[in-house]
Each structure stands twice: as C-alpha cells, then as structure tokens.
Amino acid sequence: MSDIALEIDRLTSGYGQSMVLRDVSLKIQSGQVLAIVGKNGMGKTTLLKTIMGFLPAQSGRICMFGADVTGVQPHRLAGRGVAYSPQDQAIFPDFTVDENLRLGLSNDRGYERALDRVAVFFPFLAQRRGQRAGTLSGGEQKMLLVARALMSRPRLLLIDEITEGLQPSVVQRLIGVLRAELAAFDLSVLLIEQNVGFALSIADRYAVLARGEVVAAGRVDAPGVAGVIQNHLAV
Amino acid sequence: MINLLLDILTTAGILFIVSIGLLIVFGVQKIINFAHGAFLTIGGYVALLVTGAHFSPWLAPPVALLAGALIGAIVERVIVRPLYNRPLDAILATWGLSIVVVQLITIGFGRGVQFVTSPVSGAIHVFGADYSLYRLIFLGIAIVLGLAVGLLLRSTRLGLVARAVILNENLARSLGIDSDLVRFMTFVVGAGLASLAGALLTPLLSVDPTMGVTWLLNAFMLVMVSGTSLISLMLACVVLGGAQVVISTFGNPVLGGLTIVVLAAILLRLRPTGFARA
Amino acid sequence: MRSTVSLPSETRSSELIRLGCVCLAALGLVGIGPLCLGEYSVDILIRSFLFGAVAVTLDILWGYTGILSFGQSAFFAIGAYAGGLIFTHLGLTPLDAILAVGIGLIVASLLGALVGWLAFGYGVSDLYVSVATLVLCVVVVRILYAGGTFTGSSSGLSGFTTFDLSMPVWFALTGSFLVIVAALGWLLVHSDAGTLFVSIRENEQRARYFGLATGRIKIALFAAAAAIAALAGFGYASYTDVVAPDLANFKFGTAIVIWVALGGRATLLGPAIAAVLIDFISAYLSGSLPFIWELLVGVVFIAVIVVMPQGLGPGLARGVRSMLPLRSVAPSSAAQLSIASQPVITAQSDHGPSAIAVTALSRHYGSLRVLDDISFTAQAGELVSLVGPNGAGKTTLIRCISDGTERSGGDVAILGCSIGRLTPEYCARLGLGRKFQTPTVFEALTVAQSLRIARARIDPPSLWRRADTINLPQAALQVVQATGLAEQLANPVRSLSHGGKQALELAMVLAAEPRVLLLDEPTAGLTKAERRLIGGILVDLVARHRLCILLIEHDLDFVRQISSRIIVLHQGRIVLDGDVATVVGSELVRTIYAGEPQAIGAMT
C-alpha cells in the first residue's frame, strides 16, 4: 500500500488543441491536504477535470494510492474511494436532499448510518430530507455537497472552489467539518481555492497555478507563505 | 357517448404503450430512436410467429418483449454507442436500421398484410354500452405499465440513477454511476417495450412490414411534446389521442389519422416545451 | 487609409474558369451520352439526373446549412402532381405547361415556407425540422390518397398527354438541368451567402447575435430548395407520364438523404453523383435482386454514418487524387482587410436616452431566483464592470439584456428602445454586441470568413460573388492586427489557440459596429500583453467613439485600470454600484469576498 494518495507527473491537458495545463507535477501524502490556489482561468478546474477523467491527458501520468489511473473513466474512480465536489452544477436541484445524499453512496445499504454520521455536522440535512435541494439556500447547498462527498468515507476528496460566494460563518463551519474528518479517518484532500484564508487554514501544503503551470509550491507553515502567495496572485 | 369516451381512453392507452419506450430512450440518451417503429414491427411479427406455431396468444407479448430487448442490446452496442456525441447522425443510423429491418422482414415474410389471432374476442357490457374487451384489456395494461415504470423511476435505486443521468450526466458519472451502462439498459428496455407494444397491437391491427412507421411518427410527436416526463406523456396521449378520436368520428377519418402529428407540430411551434412544465 | 493585409490566394476568376470547364465537359457528356448508351440506360438516367438535382438541393440544406430534411420528396411530388393534374384535367397547351410549372413552384415554395416557419422559430429544437418534414410527407401522401379520381388516389395518374420529345432530347434536358442546378449550387455555396449558411450550421446562436435573422434565411433557403425539387418533379411527371403518391413518401425522402450521406455531405458533387449512380444501379438490380439491393443500401448507409460520417465521396476523391498527378487545390482565398467608413457619431448620444436601462429585472428558474430586482442605467461613454463571485448571476444578466425572451420580469431598454420580447438578432439590431464567456466562433470557417459573417448585416453578402475585401471598423482591425490574426486570415478557426479564438470573437463583435457592448470575460486565456492591448482598445472605444461597455471580468486589476464604474452583484442582487474608488474601498465588498483579502488588496 502506497502512502501517496495522489501523484501527478508532468501532466499536460486542455481542450482540443489549446493546452490549458503544461507539465504539472503534484503529490499528496496520505492524510494530507494540498491547496491549489490561483486566479480564474489559470487551469485549476481543468486540472480537476483531467484527474477525474472527464478530459483526456495529452501526456503525463496520474496515480492514486500507487495505481495508475490515467484515462480511467470517471465513474470508476468513485469505486476507488475518490469523491469529487465540482464547482458548478454540483447537486441535483430537482432531487430531494435525501436523493442527493443517496447518490453519494454506491448503493442504498448503510445509508441511514452514513446519514447519521454526516448529520452530526449538518443537522438540517436530517430534518429536511424531503425538501428539494434547489430550494435550499446557497450555503446550505454547499453543505449538502460536502455532506454527499463525505457519505462514502472517501480516501481522496477533490474539492473545487467550495467557498465561492459563501458567508464567512459557513466557511468557518466547513473548516471545522473538514478538520474533524481529517482527524477521524485516513482522508487526503485536494483543494482548489481562490480563498487563500480558507486554503491556508486547513492545508498542509500549497501550490500556485498560473497560466497552466505550477509557479510556486511548499508547506503552508513556512514563514511568509501568505506573502509569497499574495505576490503570485497579484501578478 | 360512453362509447366515445371509451374510444378516447383506449386510444390514449394504445398511444401511451407505443410511446413509452421511445420516451425512456430519449430521456436518457438524448437521441431519438428512429428504429422504434422497426422494433414495433418486430414485435408484431414475433406475435405472428408465436400464434402461427399454435402457442397461446397470451404468450406473444412477453416473447416480443424479450426478442426486442435482445435485438436492442445488439443494436445499442453496434450502432448507437458510437454515435453518443452525434445525435443527428444517431437519428439517421437508427432510421437506416429501420429500413434494413423492413427489408429483412419483407424478404422473410413477404410484403402482404397478415393477421394474428386475438387472445380474447367479443365485447362486454360496460356502463350501458357494448365495448371491445381487448381494447379494455389494453387500457388496463397501459395503466399498469405506466404505474410500474413510474414507480420504478420514482422509488428504486435504479430509477434514481437513471434520473440522475437524465438530469446531469457528468455529475452522475463523477458520483460513480456508469452512465454507459445506464444508457445501454434504457435502450434495451425501450426496444423491448416497443416490441411489446407491437405484439399487443396485433389483435387490433393487421401486420405488415411497414406497420411501425405510422406509429413511429405518432410516438415521436407525442414524445417531443412531452419532454422527458411520464405524466406529460399521459396527458399528451389523452389530449391528442382524444382529438384524433373526435375528428375521426365526427369529421374525416383521413384528417383523423393526421390529427396527432399536425396538432403536435403546431403545439411545438407555439410552445416549444409542449406539455412539459416550463 | 487602406490597410494592406492580403494573402496569396486562388483568384475567383480562375475558380470560375475551372467551374466553366467542368460544366462544359459535363454538358458534352450529356450530349454524347445517348449515342454510347443503350436505350434502357438512357431511360433510367433521364430520371436519375432529376434525382441528382434534388440531392444537390438537399446537400445545400443539410450538408452546408445543417437542416436535415426528409421532405424533399414531398416537394418533388408536388411538382410532379402539378404537371400530372394540369395535363390530365386541362390539357397540354403552352399556357397549361406554364400554369403547371407556376403552380408547382408556388405551392412547393409556399409549403416550404410554412414548414420553415414552423421549424425555424426561435427556441425550436434542431430536430424539429426533421420531424416536421416527415410529417409533411405523411400529410401529402394522405391528401393524394384522399383526392379520389381527381388525384387518382392510390394508383395516381398516368397516360396523360405530355411533351412529345425524343429520348436524346430528354436526356440532354434533364442532364443540363442537373448541371445547371449543380453549377448554381456551387456558385451559391462558394459565395459569401454560402459562408453564411455554414456559419448557421456551425453556430447559429453566434450568427443571431450578429443581428442576422437566421430563421428567415433558413426559411428562404428551404422554400427555394422546395421550388427546385418541385421543378425536378415536374420534369419527372412530364417524362415518365406517371405520377403516384409514393413520390411524396418519406421512403423516397429517406433515399435522397441516403444519397447525400453516401456521396459526402457538403461536397455538392458527391451527392449528385451518388444519386445518379445509386438510382441507376438500383434500376438494374431491383429487377433481379429486389429486396436484397435495398437491404444492402441500408446496411452501407448505417456503416457510413457510424464509421465514416463524411461519406464515401471524399474518401474516393482522395484516393483518385493521390493516384493522378493533379496539382493540389489552393486553399480557399482570404481577403484584404480595409477600414470601413465609420458612421459619424454625433455628440447628442451623450444627452440622449441611456445606452442600457434595466428596470426591476428578474430571472428565475422554477423556484430558483437567479436575478432579483436588478435596476441600473449605463450611458454612452461609460465602461461599467460587473463583478461578483461565481454564481452571482453576472452571465445571466448579460443574457437577459441581450435576449428579450430570457427575463422573467422587469424591462430592458437599449438606447431608448425597449427590447420587449425580441429575440437576440433583433436586440442586436438595436445596437447591441455580445461576446460570450467561452469563445463562441465558427470552427469550420476561416478567420477571414468569420469576420465577413460578423459584418454580414452591414455589408449584405452576395448570393453568387465572394467579396475580396472586408471592411472593418478601426477597433476590429486593431484587434486583428495586434493579436496576429491578420497573418492567419486564411487559416481555419479550428486551428486557432484558445486565446486566438477569444481575440477573434472580440474582433467579430467589434466588426458589427455595436453602440453597446456586452463582454463576458473578454481577456480570459490571453497573454498579459494582449490584455493590455485589449484594455486600451476598450478604453479608446468608450472615450473616443462614445460606446457603452458592460464588462464581466475576474481580473480585478484589469477592472480597476479600465472601468469608469463598477457594479457588484451578489446572489442575484446589486449590492453596490459606484465609481472604482468607492467599490474598492467598500467594506461590503470585503465581506462578500470574505477571506479573500488578496483580491481586494490587488484592487487598492
């Protein structure tokens, strides 16, 4: 068993002939959180889509838990313990809260138990199981999204811009939830963020993506990290 | 009056059974299966074979369902799957398939019109009128089938997964749903239901190699005005089927035969969402 | 002041000379054909030529414009029955013949326009026309059946007196008809109008936002194709002396589709040849192998659609070309760019009505409120930036301003005109230009052709000529030259980089000379130098040409440098509307972008 949750080796990817990512290499140790920061249009979402298998890698390799998953179909990754929380259209607004959460598991066995577990963090979910997800508030929808990702106790969690448009109180709550889950079981997280405050508060390492390349990376507890990131984002 | 009402209801039932397979395939695959009519024809000829071999006519519909599903499975793999990203070409290829099926049946069974024995015959007395027993049974089957499919979609894991693929295929895939498998299953079910409809129709109508085409057009228009909703399809069958019965009875039968396609074409122009909620 | 960007290109005249040679050779073949072929072959080919002409019309509809019609058979039948009915019931004076042709053409084109009106309305699915044409076939067949002795019902009409011409004359007539239809078709698809058809196939939405009434264009084209099919049908009835309801059948309609698919969509010659060949072989084989032959065609058709959607024709042509020492055909010509005479902008535009006036606008999807009670105005000479987190409703707002059918409530006025429920092309005609978030371009066209399409409303395209200059307003020309597009005028858009497509779309939008510009992330994917350049152009458009620009942008640096005003959108509402300093210093914005001190930092 490898202790590296995710390893990306010189990945190049994009749409058609235009390459959005160039030679990106990243590594996440098991149990750790890597935050990728960068402004919009720098290739962050493209990176996640390529990892998830929605976009083909032009070159390079993606490994999860020691196994090469380059080119593996998206739906097969869930079976390997990967949960993905996309940025847009991440829930089924026409489905009930219950139906959305059920889709977080590969079958209905153990649903109640998993629901009880995530409802500790988000009690409103257990109380409003029959409500249509589209009628939840923006913050509640994000919490539903995180809850669904945690239903299956994933080994690797890929989160795309979860804090976008969220109130600070909700962001704080999500920080608490992720910290609790990280402490409770063997979870590794790849976090795509514009919100540097949120990213730095739970990540172990960071990487800055600019124009499809990693321009800076390191530990978040190194001195002056905030300034380094600031500089890269301001360019 | 009772007779007219029963005509409307049973016609709606027939249309519903004929269209439901097409609706399911359209919902999940986002393509129109133009071979739907061919599967219906296959069902009709399966019924002809089953009754011709002196088995019980009641056996014909289930055998047709299986035969349609089996052929549907092959067609999905060979023709439909490569065209997932080319919906217009999928129309053409399935349309080409229906030509091939018609030719094969013509070669095998000849061009002529043939008749299938009905499992029941005669009329029964309902609400003070005599009415064809088979048409009433047909209506019952339509209601049961509608409820069964509705229940399957609403209350089972399979239904949840299928609806997830309908609404957002990429999200469904990222949640571990094998959307290709879901597409395959729905096509198989859709083809099976089309053949079932063909077999069920045979006691009412004659069988010939092109019997599927008129039904295809009606089913197609009904699905276009219903979007992907079963309830809308039921509504469309009752309203447009009702209009067809009324116009055929009180007006001109030629016009009556065109009612559904023409009304649906106009409806779609005025209200592109048709009977589906906006 | 003329810009001198030009490219070596095959000139139009050499193209025309080649077309002329091909036509003459074809006409020569038509002339000597009856001398070399047996009577049976000549008999069949006379008919096949007419089918070939119908296949050409379908190729223009489907291959070039993207309209998949199963109904050319119905129009063919209408022309045929116009002849059959008149000759049977009236007779064969020259007047009757003219009457028959006239009635056929008029009925077919009116019916074509009606089907087009049904099928090409705004928001109607692309599938709809295929459905509607199938329905049309069924309706026409039923009507012919119901016509009793007048139409001959199921057996049709036969034995009516028709033109007394010899077989070689018929052969020459129908052969020339095919050559003429194909040659006119060639001129059309190689004209600027032909480029317009391809742009509709490639991206109808983009074309609409240039103010092109694509629905009307498609209706006109559909009606014209119907008329030509009817003319072929009239020829068929006059020659064969038989008309039957089967002519209108979708089965024949499908056969035409098959010819085009097998011959190669959008090749014109391929469908014509495929139609003639397949019909000719069918006639020979259908006697000996009646059903097997149709089965075979069906199987080949499926295989071609699945495996080689471009058809057999192009593949064969490539093979032949590689065997013959033919010179390769020069790439389709690009054009010279020149500067359009800018309309003089009078100063009154500053004191006139607001460029954009939005009042109490709302948009909801079911119970989901994406925009709620949005009101603001923007004047000529203002560059207003729209900022806010993802999902705030920015793109939806742009959509509601540029498409009258989008909003759920409220009102939008552009330069004082309410957009009411106008569809995008008519909103664009009020002076709106819109650039989409992801580059929305015509992948199959060249850069030059794309720019020409963007100008099509101002410089209407010719139906048979190709303009060799494109008049561009200064701003568009600047973008084209500065981003290197000027060197790629003859390249297909497909080959451009992401940034190149962004720049092209911006240049196209500017080429349409809008007074109000809606730009959704115009610089995403561009290099820093290109961004600076585009920023400069935008500021210039506002300052000198008094345009009004509404811009969505994530690069807050960029926003700060070029905006005259910033509107902050959050969860579907305007939370702040003020000048740059006010918005940048606002505590509220800080809270919305909570935890994003760097974003605000970058702005201060």
Side-chain angles (χ1 to χ4, degrees), chain A residues 17-18 39-40 87 132 134-135 141 164-165 168 194-197 211 230 233-234, chain C residues 367-368 389-390 494-495 497-498 526 528 531 554-555 557 570-571 594-596 598:
Chain A
Q17 281 153 340
S18 56
K39 293 193 283 190
N40 267 310
Q87 183 181 10
R132 269 185 59 227
T135 62
Q141 294 189 13
E164 184 98 58
Q194 287 204 73
N195 182 334
V196 178
R211 309 216 175 279
Q230 227 45 279
L233 293 185
Chain C
S367 54
L368 188 68
N390 276 7
R494 195 177 282 124
S495 71
S497 70
H498 183 81
L526 297 187
K528 212 169 172 204
R531 279 160 178 263
H554 278 292
D555 187 338
D557 258 343
H570 183 53
Q571 295 183 344
E596 273 196 288
Q598 85 290 350

Side-chain angles (χ1 to χ4, degrees), chain B residues 26 30 32 34 78-79 82-83 86-104 106-107 111 213-214 216-217 220-221 224 252-258 261-262 264-266 268-270 272 278, chain C residues 62 66 68 70 116-128 130-132 134-135 138-140 142-143 146 250-251 253-255 257-258 261 265 290-292 294-295 297-299 301-302 304-309 366:
Chain B
F26 180 58
K30 309 282 184 299
I32 297 279
F34 264 52
V78 178
I79 297 177
L83 302 177
R86 291 189 271 143
L88 270 185
D89 282 358
I91 288 184
L92 289 175
T94 49
W95 195 219
L97 178 70
S98 69
I99 296 172
V100 169
V101 168
V102 168
Q103 293 308 322
L104 285 173
T106 311
I107 291 168
R111 275 193 151 147
V213 174
T214 0
L216 170 70
L217 281 186
F220 184 87
M221 294 313 270
M224 292 289 279
N252 177 328
V254 174
L255 279 180
L258 298 173
V261 287
V262 172
I266 294 167
L268 276 176
R269 178 61 176 81
L270 299 177
Chain C
W62 179 32
L68 174 55
F70 291 101
W117 177 80
L118 284 170
F120 305 134
Y122 185 63
V124 178
S125 149
D126 281 348
L127 283 174
Y128 184 87
S130 308
V131 184
L134 278 174
V135 170
V138 175
V139 170
V140 172
R142 290 285 177 104
I143 290 173
F250 60 84
K251 207 176 160 195
T254 309
V257 170
I258 292 177
R265 281 173 245 180
F291 305 121
I292 305 273
E294 281 187 55
L295 182 68
V297 172
V299 171
F301 174 62
I302 297 174
V304 164
I305 290 287
V306 174
V307 184
M308 45 189 307

Side-chain angles (χ1 to χ4, degrees), chain C residues 330-370:
Chain C
S332 117
S333 63
Q336 282 202 331
L337 299 178
S338 69
I339 293 177
S341 53
Q342 281 275 30
V344 181
I345 305 304
T346 46
Q348 63 153 19
S349 56
D350 275 18
H351 308 289
S354 300
I356 306 173
V358 176
T359 329
L361 183 143
S362 67
R363 175 68 171 111
H364 32 86
Y365 299 92
S367 54
L368 188 68
R369 288 188 164 271
V370 180

Side-chain angles (χ1 to χ4, degrees), chain B residues 183-253:
Chain B
R183 282 165 174 262
F184 176 75
M185 297 285 285
T186 49
F187 194 88
V188 168
V189 170
L193 287 176
S195 295
L196 174 72
L200 286 172
L201 279 173
T202 48
L204 296 175
L205 301 158
S206 58
V207 174
D208 73 89
T210 58
M211 67 181 274
V213 174
T214 0
W215 290 106
L216 170 70
L217 281 186
N218 279 339
F220 184 87
M221 294 313 270
L222 288 166
V223 169
M224 292 289 279
V225 296
S226 310
T228 52
S229 151
L230 270 184
I231 310 263
S232 307
L233 180 64
M234 256 179 241
L235 194 68
C237 289
V238 172
V239 173
L240 297 182
Q244 172 177 328
V245 171
V246 169
I247 291 177
S248 305
T249 314
F250 299 108
N252 177 328

